[in-house]
Amino acid sequence: MKKQGIVTLAAMMALSMGLSGCGGDGNNTKNATGNAAAKTDNAQAESTTGAGGSGKAEKLVFWTFVDAHQKFMESMADSWNQSHPDKQIELEGTTIPYDDMHTKLLIALQSGVGAPDLVDIEQSKFPNFMKGTPQLVSLNDILEPELGNIVKSRVEIYSKDSTYYGIDYHVGATVMYYNKELLDQAGLNADDIKTWADFETAGKTMLEKTGKPMITFEGNGNWSWWPAISQQGSDQVDKDGNVTVDTPVNVQTMQFFQKLVKEGVAAVAPGAGHDTEEYFGYMDSESAASVFMPFWFMGRFTDHMPDLKGKMIIRPMPAWTEGGNRSAGMGGTATSITNQAKNPELLKEFLSYAKLSKEGNIQIWKQLGFDPIRTDVWNDPAMKESNKYTDYFGTDIFDTLLSVKDEIAPVNIREISPKVFDAIRNEAIPMIFIDMADPAVALKKVQDSLK
Amino acid sequence: MQQQINREPALASKPRNRLANSQHLAPYLFVLPFIISFLLFFAYPLINAIIMSFQSVLPGEVTFVGLDNYRELWNTDFADALYNSSRYTLFTLLLLIPIPLLLAVMLNSKKMPFSNFFRSTLFIPALTSVVVAGVVFRMIFGELDGALMNSFLHLFGISSQRWLYSSELSMFALLVLASWRWIGINILYFLSALQNIPSDLYEAADIDGAGTTTKFMRITVPLLKPITVYVLTISIYGGYAMFTESYMLWAGKPSPQNIGLTIVGYIYQQGFQYFNLGFGSAIGVTLLGITLAVSMLQLILTGMFNKEE
Amino acid sequence: METVQRKKFTASSWLLLVLFAILAVLMLFPLYALFLASLKPASELFRYGLNVRLDFDVMSLDNYRSIFTGKGEAGHYFEWYSNSVIITVLFTLLSLLLSSMVGYGLGMYRFKGRNLIFTLVLIVMMIPVEIILLPLYKLTVSLKLINTVWGVILPFMVAPLPIFFFRQFALGLPKDFMDAGRIDGCTEFGIFFRIMVPLMAPAYGAITILQAMNSWNNFLWPLIVLRTTDKFTLPIGLASFVTPLGSNYEALIAGAVLAILPILILFLFFQRYFIEGLTVGGVKG
């Protein structure tokens, strides 16, 4: 009987070798850890050398964590193929759960095998991929000619030592989403709210007339405080990567927001964040009159808050001082090319087409509902064409955006940023908005814990 | 499975090499699949992980840093994680050993009506994946008034709670989730062992006039010892390895003030979310040390290493 | 499936019945709530949380329809389903055979190195998989197992937990059967397959459902090994419905219900074997 066991095992081993079927992955025992020279020939890693790759179309593997991004890239590949018959590509997109996609990518890049050619990397994860020697391809030659046409900070956040490694989908301009119906009930006009002081006054009227809070803040997230400090030229981390969470401006901003909560003018979002099921239900049933979130949050309204259709309007954020900035660029996802890509030159051309060209940027609005990084398309007639966003918010969306175009300060994302974001989200903000601790104390505590 | 097992005896009756079947060699052949699997798939990764725990591992830049990673363990996050994991483990041991044992004994009792039906029912939650269970329980413990737990509280005139924002309440939620998923499994373990207790032992005890409690303490408990030790060991390990439950309960976001941070969660955070693989490995090796030490101690104390003949 | 002897319905039987009825309701309640949620639009869920309100006006099969008509990722659902089935069946059969052998060997025989091997089993069981992910990935790549079913199955096939369980179970097996077998001229493996395997039937029952369940729900390792959408398993596919940038809750909830179904059917179908045990022959020596 003993042979039975051994034979079974051996047979399975043999079988498994035979079944693995990826003929091309010959050079795979590469040891990425240490030998930088080995990197270049890793470029032929198995991902791109799949069976039958010798045909005309170049096979490109693309990973993302957003289904809609995959569809967008696929559609761009289709139109690329129509206009570039000599450079056919076959884009193979895969959507993988968010955290897991980044984990998988880290492992593939660290081990030197199995990475995709093209990949989406979310902004707060990006610094991880800048550690050590970045395993991504420099995009300088496609970006430099376009720097004048795009919002530069949207590629600078994905750079290291003046080498650019990623291109964002959008600007992420933070805007105010007002529920016009509720404002009307309280006799308020969104266009009269110029500063945060105006906003507080309006909020008190709202509370008095309707009993509802004017606005909600995230109790376990970054999207309320960060845009507000960014408006004032402050940030969580400075240019050199020093933690600056407890600067006077940052503390005062938090104190002001906490005061609004104490007054009842603001509420902490149910689910403690704006991107939660609880908040969608709360907002959809008209429980608060406004919220400020980046531009990409539009999609949450259209998809998860159907009852507010036609009631919401988009306006600039209130400024902190007369004439101050009325927006902030928040969040984002970069598309990068990995150094395991077999044909980086072709990929760069395609990436430039998909994310830097006018056509691409117009499609980013049409398909994804994002504010594209090329601001010269913002007043293109295509932006007023009817789609699910204009049906929901009206056709003046880009008028608002154009009015704040030059009021978007860059944000600093450095190696320590993921830790800072987590500490703010998990430590400071719950302390301030849930336990109602003094913001000065809470922010100081986080500052100290981050050295 | 059935067929496979039943088919084997026929093969076994063929003539065999005598040496290979000797009582001395046979045990090694029995354990051979594990040895092969260990050498092939675990020896290298395990050693590699231990080496990484002394390194700073960055893309293209791996450097030896001595004990730095282990020194770094002395921080409040790790302390939080260790505290949460230990507390969770302790509570799951207290809940998930005695209760399933008693329930299994009841289910095995002749007096139990519809025993098979209940055995199946209690097991069904175990079939759900942690991912699904996490989603369901996150909503059950949602903060809205209409969420299940809150509407349950309302029956007693208690107001809605923010379950996932307090250390105690969220630990309660985790334990409810753990009990829901694991009671059925542990019952199954105990039942399989109970079924192998010869019924004549109980019959003999009946003749001697032993009561239910006496029979339970004198026959059932001692004979269940190997399985109880097994359940205890895997519960210790399972408690310290808990991560997905808390990950899903907070929807993949870090929990406020680390109230849901577990040791494995900390490995995941440091290793993959901050890309600090060296430090992650150091946490992992430490965790392995802790669980292994606790389990070994417990196995030695229960005599499970020196098998009594 | 019920074979209750009505005559023995005593007071304690009633007590047990009530106790277990309450327990059963508690255990099934979350799944019932999930099932109800799968029939409602997501906005209902957002507003009221997971609840058990029966509101036939908002209930429909739309969520399921969206999976079956295959919009986007949801369209891969059946591919993921069949991948999960293949992996689960292979993994369960192999790990059952191999780990019962190892566990039996460790439990029944006294031999040099036994404690060492048992310790190694415990170590393999307790290694946090996160820290060996990178080296194990490299290894799997060099064995050319990436993006294959075998890459998912092989590394964890000789599973430590079942080995440990079979070892503990074997500790309780009667040694005299072994001697009797030897006298009858059985080989050591003959004794195992002819005498001991039937005796361990309840253990096989328990481990079958356990391994099947683990394999069906396994997430992290398949995620790392499998690279293309068509190779994904169900849990990976389901998780990709929830992304921070726009989630498809309807598909997630309906998908979750459908994910439980096959393993539930398997379980109900075979529950007689799993639960009642396969007490063939007897230990009544």
Side-chain angles (χ1 to χ4, degrees):
Chain A
M1 207 56 251
K2 88 279 162 186
K3 266 185 193 156
Q4 191 72 12
I6 305 165
V7 170
T8 315
L9 197 71
M12 283 173 328
M13 300 292 169
L15 200 61
S16 59
M17 304 296 174
L19 279 180
S20 62
C22 305
D25 46 356
N27 53 337
N28 34 30
T29 21
K30 288 282 144 53
N31 192 354
T33 55
N35 190 353
K39 292 277 153 42
T40 35
D41 32 81
N42 274 350
Q44 296 141 21
E46 46 143 350
S47 67
T48 46
T49 51
S54 54
K56 273 180 206 159
E58 183 80 33
K59 197 169 156 193
L60 307 176
V61 175
F62 170 59
W63 286 359
T64 179
F65 49 93
V66 185
D67 190 27
H69 292 186
Q70 183 185 335
K71 291 199 187 96
F72 165 74
M73 281 298 190
E74 281 165 356
S75 81
M76 290 317 285
D78 286 343
S79 63
W80 164 274
N81 283 340
Q82 277 166 20
S83 54
H84 298 77
D86 54 326
K87 291 178 183 169
Q88 294 287 296
I89 57 170
E90 186 193 333
L91 189 85
E92 190 191 297
T94 306
T95 306
I96 306 167
Y98 169 75
D99 258 332
D100 312 301
M101 192 218 80
H102 292 95
T103 304
K104 217 171 135 90
L105 182 64
L106 278 180
I107 289 176
L109 290 179
Q110 182 71 41
S111 63
V113 240
D117 303 280
L118 208 57
V119 68
D120 273 356
I121 303 174
E122 201 264 337
Q123 190 186 84
S124 65
K125 300 268 186 190
F126 206 87
N128 285 336
F129 297 91
M130 291 293 100
K131 288 187 174 175
T133 312
Q135 308 289 299
L136 304 171
V137 171
S138 158
L139 302 177
N140 284 26
D141 40 337
I142 56 169
L143 266 173
E144 272 157 6
E146 299 289 352
L147 282 179
N149 300 322
I150 61 172
V151 178
K152 209 173 148 201
S153 65
R154 300 314 285 178
V155 290
E156 268 169 0
I157 40 183
Y158 308 120
S159 68
K160 183 182 181 180
D161 304 329
S162 53
T163 307
Y164 300 104
Y165 294 104
I167 304 172
D168 211 318
Y169 283 87
H170 58 69
V171 176
T174 307
V175 291
M176 211 71 204
Y177 298 86
Y178 287 107
N179 183 326
K180 190 164 183 305
E181 207 174 73
L182 282 179
L183 292 188
D184 289 345
Q185 278 176 35
L188 294 165
N189 181 351
D191 295 320
D192 294 341
I193 302 172
K194 304 278 188 209
T195 63
W196 277 105
D198 298 343
F199 189 90
E200 188 184 7
T201 321
K204 284 179 180 159
T205 315
M206 174 64 67
L207 187 65
E208 209 175 282
K209 295 267 172 65
T210 66
K212 289 178 182 173
M214 182 71 177
I215 193 171
T216 54
F217 295 129
E218 292 209 307
N220 186 16
N222 233 332
W223 301 130
S224 296
W225 177 65
W226 196 15
I229 61 171
S230 173
Q231 268 187 297
Q232 303 166 76
S234 179
D235 208 334
Q236 314 187 44
V237 175
D238 71 12
K239 274 204 156 20
D240 306 318
N242 301 310
V243 182
T244 56
V245 298
D246 70 341
T247 59
V249 171
N250 293 356
V251 171
Q252 283 154 19
T253 307
M254 208 66 123
Q255 280 166 340
F256 176 70
F257 282 171
Q258 194 188 45
K259 186 178 124 211
L260 294 185
V261 172
K262 284 181 179 161
E263 289 170 350
V265 168
V268 177
H274 289 145
D275 219 346
T276 63
E277 297 104 67
E278 288 93 340
Y279 174 79
F280 298 151
Y282 170 90
M283 201 63 186
D284 201 22
S285 45
E286 307 201 38
S287 306
S290 73
V291 66
F292 64 88
M293 280 297 279
F295 197 77
W296 45 259
F297 198 67
M298 271 197 329
R300 307 301 194 283
F301 278 101
T302 55
D303 293 352
H304 298 316
M305 295 172 251
D307 292 356
L308 295 179
K309 187 175 175 180
K311 295 177 186 170
M312 300 303 293
I313 53 170
I314 293 178
R315 289 293 177 272
M317 292 171 76
W320 288 93
T321 51
E322 211 69 53
N325 280 352
R326 292 174 299 156
S327 188
M330 288 288 133
T333 297
T335 308
S336 300
I337 300 172
T338 71
N339 65 350
Q340 295 176 26
K342 200 175 131 200
N343 196 339
E345 290 311 314
L346 175 65
L347 272 168
K348 275 195 253 180
E349 271 184 66
F350 172 66
L351 184 60
S352 169
Y353 172 75
K355 296 191 75 175
L356 290 173
S357 72
K358 275 199 169 188
E359 305 94 289
N361 275 257
I362 290 171
Q363 288 304 320
I364 284 180
W365 159 247
K366 283 189 172 172
Q367 294 187 32
L368 300 171
F370 292 151
D371 43 350
I373 58 171
R374 258 191 106 103
T375 47
D376 57 354
V377 304
W378 284 14
N379 44 22
D380 194 283
M383 302 323 215
K384 299 239 172 184
E385 276 171 30
S386 160
N387 66 10
K388 70 170 177 176
Y389 303 104
T390 54
D391 291 349
Y392 195 102
F393 295 101
T395 51
D396 58 352
I397 301 173
F398 275 88
D399 298 337
T400 302
L401 268 190
L402 279 168
S403 74
V404 299
K405 194 176 87 160
D406 300 319
E407 300 178 29
I408 299 169
V411 291
N412 298 318
I413 310 260
R414 296 293 178 269
E415 239 179 63
I416 196 165
S417 290
K419 281 186 189 178
V420 180
F421 297 159
D422 276 351
I424 290 292
R425 271 198 297 249
N426 312 327
E427 294 286 335
I429 294 187
M431 269 174 87
I432 293 164
F433 284 137
I434 292 175
D435 308 333
M436 288 295 159
D438 180 3
V441 176
L443 290 174
K444 173 113 187 13
K445 197 178 154 215
V446 167
Q447 174 81 27
D448 292 345
S449 75
L450 294 164
K451 280 173 280 175
Chain B
M1 176 206 84
Q2 237 49 44
Q3 290 168 341
Q4 195 156 356
I5 288 161
N6 293 338
R7 205 172 345 108
E8 304 303 349
L11 296 166
S13 59
K14 288 177 192 158
R16 300 267 142 210
N17 179 321
R18 217 178 261 179
L19 180 72
N21 267 304
S22 78
Q23 287 177 39
H24 299 290
L25 198 56
Y28 294 99
L29 292 175
F30 274 113
V31 299
L32 192 64
F34 174 76
I35 296 173
I36 294 174
S37 154
F38 180 81
L39 293 177
L40 197 57
F41 290 110
F42 290 97
Y44 163 73
L46 187 61
I47 292 166
N48 198 295
I50 294 172
I51 294 171
M52 276 201 297
S53 75
F54 296 102
Q55 288 173 331
S56 149
V57 183
L58 291 174
E61 292 172 16
V62 177
T63 42
F64 187 75
V65 295
L67 286 170
D68 279 6
N69 289 327
Y70 288 94
R71 261 182 231 121
E72 238 184 276
L73 279 177
W74 193 258
N75 71 58
T76 49
D77 287 348
F78 184 68
D80 285 344
L82 189 61
Y83 172 70
N84 286 335
S85 287
S86 304
R87 193 164 60 142
Y88 175 82
T89 306
L90 183 69
F91 282 125
T92 48
L93 291 183
L94 292 176
L95 285 171
L96 288 177
I97 293 177
I99 295 175
L101 174 61
L102 277 176
L103 291 177
V105 170
M106 289 178 194
L107 282 169
N108 203 41
S109 142
K110 288 200 178 72
K111 287 177 186 153
M112 182 70 217
F114 308 112
S115 171
N116 288 334
F117 171 76
F118 287 119
R119 289 174 193 193
S120 307
T121 316
L122 298 190
F123 190 80
I124 283 173
L127 301 173
T128 59
S129 69
V130 195
V131 176
V132 172
V135 170
V136 175
F137 275 78
R138 171 152 50 87
M139 295 189 286
I140 288 179
F141 286 98
E143 59 184 89
L144 297 179
D145 289 337
L148 269 181
M149 268 325 262
N150 278 338
S151 26
F152 183 69
L153 288 186
H154 296 163
L155 294 180
F156 301 94
I158 305 170
S159 60
S160 294
Q161 298 290 319
R162 290 187 140 179
W163 293 93
L164 302 180
Y165 289 88
S166 126
S167 171
E168 278 70 35
L169 291 178
S170 60
M171 180 56 68
F172 175 76
L174 281 171
L175 289 171
V176 171
L177 174 53
S179 305
W180 184 71
R181 281 193 79 231
W182 285 99
I183 278 185
I185 297 176
N186 285 359
I187 287 178
L188 192 67
Y189 286 137
F190 285 123
L191 270 176
S192 70
L194 281 171
Q195 280 161 1
N196 263 22
I197 298 180
S199 53
D200 31 354
L201 282 180
Y202 291 105
E203 282 154 24
D206 281 336
I207 294 166
D208 293 345
T212 315
T213 324
T214 318
K215 280 190 284 182
F216 177 72
M217 295 309 291
R218 292 281 167 80
I219 302 172
T220 314
V221 172
L223 284 176
L224 284 184
K225 186 176 152 190
I227 290 305
T228 312
V229 169
Y230 164 78
V231 175
L232 184 64
T233 315
I234 64 161
S235 301
I236 294 172
Y237 143 75
Y240 275 102
M242 191 273 282
F243 163 54
T244 322
E245 282 85 346
S246 109
Y247 180 83
M248 292 308 299
L249 211 53
W250 278 277
K253 290 175 233 164
S255 57
Q257 273 134 24
N258 286 343
I259 54 175
L261 184 70
T262 66
I263 300 183
V264 175
Y266 193 49
I267 299 177
Y268 189 77
Q269 181 196 54
Q270 295 294 326
F272 299 123
Q273 296 188 315
Y274 300 160
F275 205 9
N276 203 343
L277 282 171
F279 185 45
S281 299
I283 307 166
V285 171
T286 309
L287 172 63
L288 179 61
I290 295 174
T291 45
L292 202 60
V294 174
S295 305
M296 291 293 225
L297 184 71
Q298 175 259 119
L299 286 170
I300 290 167
L301 287 179
T302 50
M304 278 298 151
F305 259 103
N306 313 309
K307 186 187 148 198
E308 55 279 77
E309 203 60 43
Chain C
M1 60 183 165
E2 300 311 317
T3 48
V4 181
Q5 313 88 319
R6 306 262 165 211
K7 52 191 168 168
K8 287 190 178 173
F9 241 80
T10 59
S12 48
S13 294
W14 279 108
L15 208 67
L16 285 172
L17 184 64
V18 173
L19 173 75
F20 276 88
I22 294 173
L23 263 176
V25 169
L26 286 178
M27 295 304 249
L28 295 182
F29 207 62
L31 292 176
Y32 172 68
L34 177 73
F35 175 67
L36 277 192
S38 76
L39 299 173
K40 297 178 187 174
S43 57
E44 173 83 5
L45 191 70
F46 298 156
R47 275 194 202 186
Y48 308 108
L50 189 68
N51 56 64
V52 286
R53 270 183 343 129
L54 274 175
D55 182 351
F56 292 101
D57 291 341
V58 298
M59 283 161 66
S60 71
L61 288 173
D62 285 353
N63 298 341
Y64 292 95
R65 211 166 287 138
S66 81
I67 284 181
F68 283 88
T69 51
K71 265 194 214 155
E73 283 299 300
H76 287 288
Y77 202 84
F78 289 102
E79 238 166 24
W80 301 336
Y81 228 101
S82 74
N83 293 338
S84 274
V85 169
I86 292 169
I87 289 177
T88 300
V89 169
L90 284 173
F91 179 82
T92 308
L93 291 179
L94 291 170
S95 81
L96 211 59
L97 171 70
L98 296 174
S99 49
S100 67
M101 281 172 58
V102 178
Y104 171 83
L106 284 173
M108 271 317 238
Y109 294 93
R110 316 196 66 176
F111 58 98
K112 232 184 188 165
R114 187 182 67 157
N115 279 345
L116 172 73
I117 291 171
F118 180 49
T119 310
L120 287 178
V121 170
L122 290 179
I123 289 177
V124 170
M125 183 168 102
M126 291 175 180
I127 307 174
V129 69
E130 285 77 7
I131 67 168
I132 55 164
L133 222 45
L134 179 64
L136 192 58
Y137 172 80
K138 286 190 205 165
L139 201 62
T140 317
V141 169
S142 51
L143 292 171
K144 298 190 184 175
L145 294 174
I146 283 299
N147 209 19
T148 67
V149 164
W150 293 107
V152 177
I153 296 174
L154 287 181
F156 298 95
M157 177 179 67
V158 191
L161 205 125
I163 292 178
F164 186 17
F165 183 75
F166 278 109
R167 173 194 185 260
Q168 298 303 92
F169 207 89
L171 291 178
L173 291 175
K175 280 252 167 173
D176 22 333
F177 277 40
M178 207 171 176
D179 299 330
R182 281 175 190 151
I183 293 163
D184 286 354
C186 284
T187 63
E188 295 301 307
F189 280 84
I191 293 170
F192 173 65
F193 283 110
R194 285 186 157 182
I195 303 172
M196 297 303 183
V197 166
L199 286 182
M200 294 199 291
Y204 279 104
I207 293 296
T208 303
I209 186 66
L210 219 72
Q211 287 299 86
M213 187 191 91
N214 284 341
S215 171
W216 184 258
N217 293 328
N218 197 5
F219 184 77
L220 190 57
W221 181 243
L223 174 96
I224 299 297
V225 173
L226 301 174
R227 309 197 48 231
T228 47
T229 316
D230 60 309
K231 296 273 173 64
F232 281 176
T233 58
L234 205 50
I236 303 174
L238 276 186
S240 62
F241 285 145
V242 183
T243 73
L245 309 183
S247 299
N248 189 348
Y249 290 93
E250 281 96 347
L252 174 78
I253 304 278
V257 172
L258 288 182
I260 302 171
L261 273 187
I263 195 102
L264 186 68
I265 290 168
L266 176 88
F267 174 71
L268 292 178
F269 198 69
F270 288 111
Q271 55 104 11
R272 203 155 54 91
Y273 300 100
F274 301 135
I275 299 288
E276 254 169 66
L278 306 152
T279 333
V280 197
V283 195
K284 294 164 189 156

